[in-house]
Amino acid sequence: MNFDEIITLDKADPLAKKRLEFDLPANTIYLDGNSLGALPKSVKSRVAEVVSQQWGNDLIKSWNSHSWIDLPIKVGEKIAPLIGAAPGQVMCCDSISVNLFKLLCSALTLNSERTVVLSTKDNFPTDLYMVQGLSDLLGPDLCQLQMVEEQDIQQHLTESVAVLLLTQVNFRSGRLLDMAKLTRLAHEKGILVIWDLAHSAGALPVELDTCEADFAVGCGYKYLNGGPGSPAFLYVAKRHQQEIKQPLSGWMGHAKPFAFDAKYTAAPNINQFQCGTPSVISMSALDAALDVWQDVDMLQIRHKSAGLADVFIELIQMNNCLTDLILISPNVAQQRGSQLAFSHDAAFAICQALIQKGVIADFRAPNILRFGFTPLYTSFEDIWLAVTILVNIVESEQYKESRFNITLKVT
Ligand SMILES: *Cc1c(COP(=O)(O)O)cnc(C)c1O
């Protein structure tokens, strides 16, 4: 692989022009869109308009005149096609953590003769924390967390499990779980499944309806580019919507919020999953960010994502760097999400040195260096430059300098 071949790949890339829709900083190669997506240009003007015109001028009238009240549903419906969901099943609201609380309670109630929530030891910690908190609240007779290794999930799908809680793409290793197969096996044992799509939505084609998933949650600020603290989303399969009740029974989930009735009556549809007033400015940002996807084919995203990562691995290999940097993601693109993870004892310092040289990657404790690939705005040339810089840092051992070894609060 040489530089000319890299340029040829960029020239043949049908998504290359999408980069123009983003505001990217100069002299920066951004390989962290899996943690915080880049800024779509459309978001800037939208947020400015929402603040100065809708809020500043139109004030409270905007709940109706600018349809603020419908944003959670409207944004949910824009996310739906990206995750293979037919209309009426996706709501944009709250954070993943809060949405998990609602869905875990709902699922445990549906399967109330069982108590176990099965998940993986290396699931994203907030997912596990939310089950632990719920278990403390309800007591072990109603909710118990069981954690197993990712490769052992299948053998633990037993009749005592109420809910299987899985993240489709592992946040550290990038390993992709087989949603269709695991959902089917779980259903055969009467288990309900909640999928966390934090590293899937916008990263690869997801087929919630086809897989007959029960519930899902996902993130607005990663591959969907909604901005820091952007609201999350949740999915509830239509077949469950009539029979379930979520416990955070705030007024926005009421069948008639503006009747101001003292008695709570849940909305008979996905609206029930709202709790309080939506954060209009952030949700408007996400709404505008989602327009970027309108003409995008998720198969093209998947194809390019695999290509970017494969080129990354090949270049590292070509430079004989794979003895220092150990690939902990699957070798085969079909078994990965849209990121690569390498382990190295000095991963933190290497990451700091990369950032100082304009390559933004991230570090995950204890020793993992993570690179995210966002096909909408990452080019093959970016990968070439990033690997050149990475190899140089590793070979020269520059990362040993003390300035790259200072602890930070957020990594
Ligand atoms: C990023 C991420 C979250 C974030 O949860 P919030 O409550 O929205 O902050 C949850 N789960 C996974 C797997 C993640 O990667």
Side-chain angles (χ1 to χ4, degrees):
M1 171 94 23
N2 60 37
F3 190 66
D4 286 345
E5 290 171 72
I6 295 284
I7 297 304
T8 308
L9 285 171
D10 276 332
K11 282 197 177 134
D13 171 17
L15 293 170
K17 60 183 187 309
K18 278 282 157 188
R19 187 181 175 99
L20 300 172
E21 295 178 35
F22 288 85
D23 217 350
L24 297 164
N27 305 318
T28 301
I29 297 168
Y30 193 61
L31 300 180
D32 215 356
N34 54 327
S35 251
L36 175 66
L39 170 63
K41 288 178 181 162
S42 58
V43 170
K44 277 176 127 173
S45 47
R46 177 69 178 275
V47 170
E49 206 253 333
V50 169
V51 171
S52 52
Q53 185 62 38
Q54 299 185 7
W55 176 18
N57 195 70
D58 302 344
L59 285 163
I60 201 159
K61 290 181 289 179
S62 294
W63 284 105
N64 289 308
S65 64
H66 294 291
S67 303
W68 285 353
I69 197 70
D70 298 323
L71 269 173
I73 274 289
K74 180 187 171 205
V75 176
E77 293 301 5
K78 271 192 184 174
I79 295 168
L82 299 175
I83 54 174
Q89 304 178 102
V90 183
M91 167 71 65
C92 179
C93 52
D94 304 309
S95 60
I96 286 190
S97 307
V98 172
N99 287 335
L100 273 176
F101 183 84
K102 300 178 213 170
L103 295 180
L104 282 163
C105 291
S106 305
L108 281 168
T109 312
L110 274 183
N111 236 349
S112 59
E113 69 289 2
R114 303 180 182 192
T115 57
V116 174
V117 176
L118 181 69
S119 194
T120 57
K121 282 182 186 152
D122 60 348
N123 197 348
F124 192 87
T126 204
D127 296 37
L128 303 174
Y129 300 161
M130 293 313 292
V131 185
Q132 290 167 41
L134 189 57
S135 180
D136 287 346
L137 177 72
L138 299 177
D141 292 344
L142 293 174
C143 174
Q144 285 168 21
L145 172 63
Q146 185 187 2
M147 293 180 284
V148 297
E149 299 293 344
E150 228 166 49
Q151 65 270 18
D152 299 334
I153 298 168
Q154 211 167 311
Q155 73 204 62
H156 286 89
L157 298 175
T158 65
E159 258 115 44
S160 60
V161 177
V163 182
L164 175 63
L165 169 62
L166 294 176
T167 296
Q168 192 189 12
V169 176
N170 184 294
F171 80 105
R172 281 199 193 88
S173 68
R175 182 178 293 281
L176 173 69
L177 296 180
D178 187 337
M179 180 184 282
K181 180 176 163 198
L182 287 165
T183 305
R184 179 172 46 77
L185 291 173
H187 285 172
E188 281 170 12
K189 300 281 179 186
I191 302 165
L192 293 164
V193 192
I194 305 178
W195 285 100
D196 184 333
L197 306 177
H199 294 277
S200 322
L204 46 105
V206 178
E207 297 295 342
L208 288 175
D209 284 350
T210 308
C211 294
E212 295 184 7
D214 299 287
F215 307 101
V217 291
C219 205
Y221 55 79
K222 290 172 178 157
Y223 293 90
L224 299 184
N225 311 309
S230 174
F233 64 86
L234 57 74
Y235 161 94
V236 178
K238 251 256 148 80
R239 64 182 180 280
H240 294 313
Q241 289 181 13
Q242 293 302 319
E243 33 175 352
I244 53 177
K245 242 189 124 199
Q246 65 102 352
L248 298 182
S249 44
W251 70 311
M252 286 292 156
H254 194 282
K256 291 185 177 143
F258 293 93
F260 295 104
D261 194 343
K263 186 181 177 304
Y264 182 77
T265 309
N269 48 30
I270 190 78
N271 276 308
Q272 179 199 156
F273 284 84
Q274 290 192 72
C275 181
T277 308
S279 46
V280 169
I281 302 172
S282 308
M283 212 175 280
S284 300
L286 178 57
D287 185 31
L290 287 164
D291 287 340
V292 168
W293 296 95
Q294 259 165 14
D295 57 351
V296 170
D297 176 351
M298 286 311 292
L299 289 173
Q300 282 181 351
I301 292 282
R302 182 69 172 149
H303 181 73
K304 182 173 173 188
S305 149
L308 292 167
D310 283 343
V311 166
F312 195 104
I313 296 172
E314 193 179 330
L315 293 174
I316 298 254
Q317 219 157 18
M318 232 171 71
N319 286 286
N320 295 319
C321 248
L322 275 185
T323 43
D324 299 293
L325 292 165
I326 298 163
L327 181 66
I328 61 161
S329 303
N331 254 315
V332 188
Q334 292 92 306
Q335 294 170 14
R336 293 191 302 256
S338 198
Q339 66 180 67
L340 286 176
F342 296 89
S343 68
H344 190 292
D345 288 343
F348 176 78
I350 294 173
C351 188
Q352 291 308 306
L354 279 170
I355 292 170
Q356 194 264 331
K357 288 172 191 297
V359 180
I360 316 289
D362 71 19
F363 163 76
R364 283 292 171 264
N367 65 344
I368 289 169
L369 195 53
R370 222 172 47 152
F371 300 92
F373 303 101
T374 43
L376 291 179
Y377 53 85
T378 304
S379 67
F380 288 92
E381 188 179 351
D382 286 336
I383 301 301
W384 171 276
L385 293 170
V387 175
T388 307
I389 293 168
L390 172 62
V391 167
N392 181 269
I393 290 168
V394 172
E395 282 180 349
S396 68
E397 300 194 352
Q398 261 179 59
Y399 58 84
K400 291 187 173 164
E401 290 174 30
S402 58
R403 64 187 169 128
F404 300 133
N405 288 276
I406 300 162
T407 314
L408 300 171
K409 194 164 171 188
V410 178
T411 58

